[in-house]
Amino acid sequence: MGLLHDQGVLRGVEAGPYPLEALAAGPQFAPATRLSAHSEPLPEATSELGLAAVRYQNIFASCTTQNSAPRGDGSGDPAVRARELKGAGYYLDAAGVGICALSPLHWYGSPEAGHSHAVVILAAHGAAIEADNLAAGWVSGAQDHIALMRALEISTSLLGHIRALGFDATLHYPGASTVCLPTLCLSAGLCQPHADGPRHPFIGHDFVAVALTTDYAMAVDLPLDPAARVAARRYRAGINGALSGREIERRKRRPSHLSRYPMETVRRVDQPTTAIFADEIPRVPKRAEFFMRARKGDLGAKAQREVARFAFKHPLTDGMMYPLRAMVPHQDGPIAAQQSPDLADAAQNSRALKSLSYHLGADLTGICELPDYAWYSHGPDGSVIEPRHKYAVVMLIDQGYDTMEGASGDDWISGCQSMRGYIRGAEIAGLMADFIRSQGYPARAQTNADSEVLQIPLVLLAGLGELSRIGELVLNPFVGPRFKSVVLTTNLPLEVDQPIDFGLQTFCGNCLKCARECPVNAIPFGDKVVFNGYEIWKPDVERCTRYRVTNPRGSACGRCMKTCPLNKVVTNDGALLHRMGTWLGIHARWLKPVLVPIAVWLDDKLGYGKRNPVKRWWQDLELIDGVARKPAATNERDLDLSADTSGAKSPVGYYFAADMPAPDNRQAHPANHRAAIERAVLVETVAEARQRRKLSAKVPTHYIPVTELTSEPE
C-alpha cells in the first residue's frame, strides 16, 4: 500500500486475489494417485434457497450446447492463452483459476479425444451471516449449492469463450464429471492435500470446484508444495499486491447486512440532492429507449446492423451471452400459495435481504419504494405495463477496477465490462426473486436483458449514490461510476433507505474530466437543466448510443467511468491518498469548494485515467461472421489534457417525451439530431422550473409522451 497507488498496481488480474505465487511449487509435488473413485454430487438441496440455487445451476449447465466456431486469429502462444483464460476467470470473480495438463490419472475411464488441458475454477462460499439474521437460516445447508451455481456461471462463460475461439471444451462439475475434480485441484496448483480433501491455502475448504477440459493448449501451473505456508504477518500486510489479510479481516468484522464499504457513514437526506418533480415525470415506453431505437432503425442502417452485436463482439462476451439470455425466462414465476409467517417484519426482511445479496456477491444494496414514474409505460411490443410492486431492492455490481485500469474504456474489453455486471446481477436478483416467490410473495428480477423499470432513479432513491455529470448515471462515494445495477421488485414488506448526500453536486460542478475525455462529446460541459421532470446534467443520448453500438475500434464504451476521478480503490488495500480523499469528501463536505479543484488537478497530474499495461490480460479480437479476427484497429486512449472544454463545438441534443416514438411503433422513427439541438430552448433551470410551477399547474407539452398505439403492421 502506498500514498499514491494501491498495493495491487503491479499485480496482473491473472494472478488472482490470493498470493499463491508466494508458495513453493513444482512438478515433484504432483499427485501420485487419484483422490476419488468417481464423481460425487453435492448433498441434495433441502432448503428453498438451495433448491432455487439448483434451478440456476441447471440453467447454466444447459448453456453448453453451442458448437465451436471455425478457428480464427487468436494467439498460438500458450502463455498468452493462459493469461487470458485465467484473467477472464478472475475477472468474473472466481476464487481460484488454475491450468494443468491432463493425464490418465485425471480421467474416470477413457479420456475425451483431443482434450489435453484442464481449466479448474473455484468458487468460494459467501460471507458468513449472524445467527439472529433471518438470512442465516435461508443459506444454512445451501452454501455449496450457491457456490456451485457461481462456479457454473463463470465456467459456462469461459467455455463459450473457448468455443468462440474455435476450440472444443467440456464442462465437468460435481455429480456430472468424467474427470477427478479433487485431483485436478492439486494438479492445477490451487490446493494442497489434506485429510478432509483438497484445501486452498487461503480459503480452506469453503469452495466448490468445477473444470473445463479442452483441446486449447495453454501454459500450465505447478502443483503446490503440500507443506508450503505463508507467515501470517506477511499475509496480513499484503503480498505482491494481492488481497491483504488485513482487508479480509476488516470485511469479516462488518455485520453481514452492510457492504464492504461504510455506506452507513454517509449523510442521509429526505430527498435526493437533485430536484425531482415527480408529478411531471412522464412514464415512457421501452420503444423510446435508445438502444431499442437503434434496433428499430431510428439511428440509421449502420446502428441498426451493429446494435445486435456491439456488446458481444469479443469472444469472452460472446461466451457470456448464453447464460445471460438463458436466465431471462426465469426472472418471474409462480408464487407459493401460502405466505411464510416469518416474513411479517419489514426491518428484519430488509436486513436479511441485504445480507443475502452480499452473500450472493452483490457489492452494494439499497431499498426504496417504487414510484409509478419509474415503471416503463409499455413493453417492447407495445403491451401496457402496470405498476404492480411496492418496493425495489437495488443492487450494484462492481465492474472490476483492475480490468478497467488496463483498458482505455472503449477498447475490445469494454463491452465485457458491462456484461460482467449484467450477468452477475441477473443471477443474484433472479435467485433472490425465486426464493421470495417460494415464500408466498411476488417478486421479479429486473435485469438489463428484460426490465420493466427504469433503474437510474431507483439507484438514486435507494441511497446508493447521487446523480453525476455523466448524466444518466448515479455515482457512488466508494466505487464511483464503476458499476452496473440490477433491481428486484416485490411486495414483500420492507424497510426503505434514504437518499444520500456526499457533496457530489459540488464535485461534478467543478470537474469536467468525463466530458473532456468522452470520445464523442456526449457529456455536457455546462450546468444542470430540468429534463422530463429531473434535474440533471443531460447527456446527448443519441451521440452516446450511436458511438457505443458502432464503435469501430472496440466494443461499446465506458470511457467516462474509466477516467472519473472517483473511480478508485478505497479499501485498506487502496492508496492512502484516495482513502483520505474519500473520507474528506464524505465527512468534510464544507471543504469541497477548496478541495475539489485541487483533487481534479492532482488526478490529472498523477495520470489517473491512463492505461496500466500490467492489468491488460485479454487479446484484442473481434468476432466477424462468427470467427475471431484481429481487429483493424484498437482504441488506445490515455488522457487528452488539451481538449476543448467550452462545449461550443458540441451542443447537446434533447429528446423529450413528446419526441419519442409510439409505444408499438415497429417502423423506423428517425432521430433528428439537429432538431434535438434546437430544442435546447425548451430546457429550464431548476429555478425557472420552480417559478413556472408557481405560476401554472400545467405540465410542459414536450413532457407528454405519445401513448396512442399505432397498430402498424410488421
Side-chain angles (χ1 to χ4, degrees):
M1 178 185 64
L3 174 64
L4 302 179
H5 296 285
D6 66 87
Q7 69 173 28
V9 70
L10 297 178
R11 184 180 184 80
V13 176
E14 70 279 0
Y18 301 104
L20 292 175
E21 73 278 7
L23 301 172
Q28 68 271 27
F29 303 121
T33 58
R34 188 184 301 136
L35 298 191
S36 64
H38 55 86
S39 177
E40 297 182 4
L42 298 181
E44 186 175 351
T46 55
S47 69
E48 291 293 347
L49 187 65
L51 292 169
V54 170
R55 287 190 284 273
Y56 271 77
Q57 291 170 21
N58 293 334
I59 293 171
F60 295 136
S62 70
C63 298
T64 60
T65 58
Q66 66 270 33
N67 294 323
S68 297
R71 294 188 183 179
D73 298 335
S75 175
D77 185 334
V80 171
R81 291 176 171 186
R83 184 183 189 193
E84 182 174 58
L85 259 293
K86 293 182 69 175
Y90 282 124
Y91 174 59
L92 294 174
D93 286 337
V97 185
I99 299 171
C100 68
L102 289 165
S103 74
L105 182 69
H106 299 117
W107 294 97
Y108 299 127
S110 300
E112 190 158 350
H115 285 207
S116 58
H117 287 71
V119 183
V120 185
I121 299 107
L122 308 186
H125 288 181
I129 300 175
E130 302 84 1
D132 65 342
N133 187 315
L134 284 176
W138 301 345
V139 303
S140 179
Q143 293 95 327
D144 276 341
H145 290 287
I146 292 169
L148 177 56
M149 174 190 70
R150 169 62 62 80
L152 291 174
E153 172 233 313
I154 297 168
S155 58
T156 52
S157 297
L158 298 184
L159 178 146
H161 174 64
I162 292 170
R163 290 186 179 175
L165 292 172
F167 294 84
D168 189 32
T170 300
L171 173 64
H172 304 264
Y173 56 97
S177 176
T178 57
V179 290
C180 180
L181 294 169
T183 307
L184 285 175
C185 287
L186 303 184
S187 298
L190 292 173
C191 293
Q192 297 164 308
H194 189 271
D196 295 329
R199 185 182 185 279
H200 188 279
F202 301 101
I203 60 176
H205 298 287
D206 292 338
F207 66 86
V208 170
V210 303
L212 300 173
T213 59
T214 179
D215 58 354
Y216 188 55
M218 295 163 282
V220 300
D221 297 294
L222 296 174
L224 299 176
D225 178 351
R229 299 289 183 269
V230 171
R233 181 178 299 177
R234 186 180 174 212
Y235 176 50
R236 190 176 187 280
I239 301 172
N240 301 337
L243 185 65
S244 69
R246 181 183 65 257
E247 171 60 17
I248 292 174
E249 291 167 7
R250 183 192 70 83
R251 295 180 189 183
K252 288 182 177 179
R253 288 194 300 267
R254 289 180 59 75
S256 66
H257 67 284
L258 300 179
S259 77
R260 73 183 66 170
Y261 305 105
M263 285 293 295
E264 69 277 6
T265 67
V266 182
R267 181 188 178 202
R268 297 283 169 170
V269 291
D270 292 333
Q271 298 295 329
T273 54
T274 44
I276 297 176
F277 302 112
D279 58 333
E280 294 187 352
I281 297 175
R283 288 183 61 204
V284 297
K286 293 275 286 189
R287 176 63 178 85
E289 191 269 328
F290 259 77
F291 288 117
M292 181 66 71
R293 295 195 67 175
R295 289 182 183 278
K296 298 298 184 182
D298 296 6
L299 304 188
K302 182 178 180 181
Q304 186 176 30
R305 181 179 67 251
E306 291 293 301
V307 71
R309 77 180 195 102
F310 81 101
F312 300 103
K313 289 193 281 189
H314 190 273
L316 176 58
T317 324
D318 182 75
M320 296 167 70
M321 173 180 65
Y322 298 94
L324 181 65
R325 291 178 176 172
M327 286 186 279
V328 171
H330 305 273
Q331 291 180 198
D332 207 344
I335 304 163
Q338 187 172 354
Q339 292 185 346
S340 169
D342 298 330
L343 299 179
D345 188 305
Q348 286 190 16
N349 293 344
S350 291
R351 179 190 178 207
L353 283 186
K354 288 179 179 179
S355 295
L356 179 59
S357 75
Y358 296 134
H359 184 87
L360 296 174
D363 291 294
L364 290 148
T365 302
I367 300 172
C368 66
E369 289 199 18
L370 231 172
D372 283 356
Y373 64 75
W375 292 87
Y376 282 106
S377 62
H378 298 77
D381 60 353
S383 58
V384 174
I385 294 176
E386 296 289 352
R388 56 195 175 104
H389 295 155
K390 183 176 180 180
Y391 298 105
V393 181
V394 186
M395 293 165 278
L396 308 186
I397 312 298
D398 192 327
Q399 289 185 249
Y401 177 81
D402 282 349
T403 292
M404 193 169 286
E405 280 296 276
S408 71
D410 60 345
D411 53 17
W412 294 102
I413 201 63
S414 58
C416 187
Q417 291 179 286
S418 295
M419 292 305 126
R420 173 194 188 278
Y422 292 143
I423 191 173
R424 181 62 43 74
E427 175 187 15
I428 295 169
L431 181 68
M432 290 174 65
D434 189 316
F435 172 72
I436 291 172
R437 292 193 299 268
S438 76
Q439 303 302 296
Y441 290 89
R444 187 185 196 273
Q446 311 284 358
T447 74
N448 164 263
D450 182 16
S451 179
E452 296 176 344
V453 298
L454 292 93
Q455 302 204 4
I456 294 167
L458 299 179
V459 178
L460 187 68
L461 295 172
L464 295 175
E466 294 184 55
L467 212 54
S468 68
R469 181 177 289 278
I470 296 172
E472 295 179 350
L473 191 146
V474 174
L475 196 149
N476 180 270
F478 299 103
V479 299
R482 192 186 65 242
F483 63 81
K484 292 300 181 188
S485 62
V486 70
V487 172
L488 182 158
T489 59
T490 183
N491 285 335
L492 177 71
L494 295 173
E495 183 177 73
V496 301
D497 297 296
Q498 289 180 293
I500 61 172
D501 176 5
F502 64 102
L504 186 66
Q505 304 313 295
T506 300
F507 190 98
C508 287
N510 287 276
C511 180
L512 299 173
K513 191 166 183 176
C514 63
R516 185 192 73 202
E517 297 297 331
C518 177
V520 291
N521 295 312
I523 299 173
F525 292 95
D527 296 329
K528 290 177 286 186
V529 299
V530 176
F531 177 84
N532 284 348
Y534 296 96
E535 180 189 9
I536 187 174
W537 277 286
K538 188 68 181 86
D540 193 312
V541 289
E542 181 182 351
R543 279 199 199 113
C544 178
T545 305
R546 191 183 296 278
Y547 179 68
R548 289 164 75 182
V549 302
T550 64
N551 178 1
R553 296 168 179 256
S555 172
C557 182
R559 184 140 179 83
C560 50
M561 291 181 278
K562 159 73 178 180
T563 59
C564 175
L566 298 185
N567 172 32
K568 298 291 188 293
V569 173
V570 294
T571 64
N572 279 343
D573 292 338
L576 180 60
L577 181 66
H578 301 156
R579 291 187 285 135
M580 288 173 57
T582 299
W583 189 94
L584 288 170
I586 292 171
H587 299 285
R589 292 181 303 113
W590 54 276
L591 282 175
K592 278 188 180 286
V594 175
L595 292 180
V596 170
I598 297 173
V600 173
W601 173 83
L602 191 60
D603 200 68
D604 275 341
K605 192 71 174 176
L606 296 175
Y608 291 115
K610 292 183 178 180
R611 293 165 296 151
N612 179 353
V614 174
K615 305 295 186 180
R616 192 183 182 285
W617 49 265
W618 61 93
Q619 299 181 65
D620 285 340
L621 292 170
E622 178 184 10
L623 289 176
I624 300 175
D625 296 327
V627 181
R629 298 298 186 192
K630 291 182 179 179
T634 298
N635 286 317
E636 296 181 346
R637 308 177 197 273
D638 283 314
L639 297 175
D640 187 0
L641 303 182
S642 62
D644 178 10
T645 58
S646 69
K649 296 180 180 179
S650 55
V652 171
Y654 295 92
Y655 293 87
F656 291 101
D659 309 304
M660 298 173 181
D664 65 340
N665 188 330
R666 299 183 181 93
Q667 308 303 315
H669 183 88
N672 186 330
H673 194 255
R674 177 172 294 179
I677 292 174
E678 293 172 353
R679 285 193 288 269
V681 297
L682 297 175
V683 300
E684 303 170 301
T685 66
V686 171
E688 289 169 342
R690 286 178 173 150
Q691 180 63 22
R692 170 184 56 75
R693 287 166 61 85
K694 284 183 180 179
L695 299 176
S696 170
K698 293 183 179 179
V699 175
T701 56
H702 51 282
Y703 283 17
I704 302 173
V706 176
T707 56
E708 294 80 9
L709 302 185
T710 62
S711 300
E712 293 180 355
E714 289 281 1

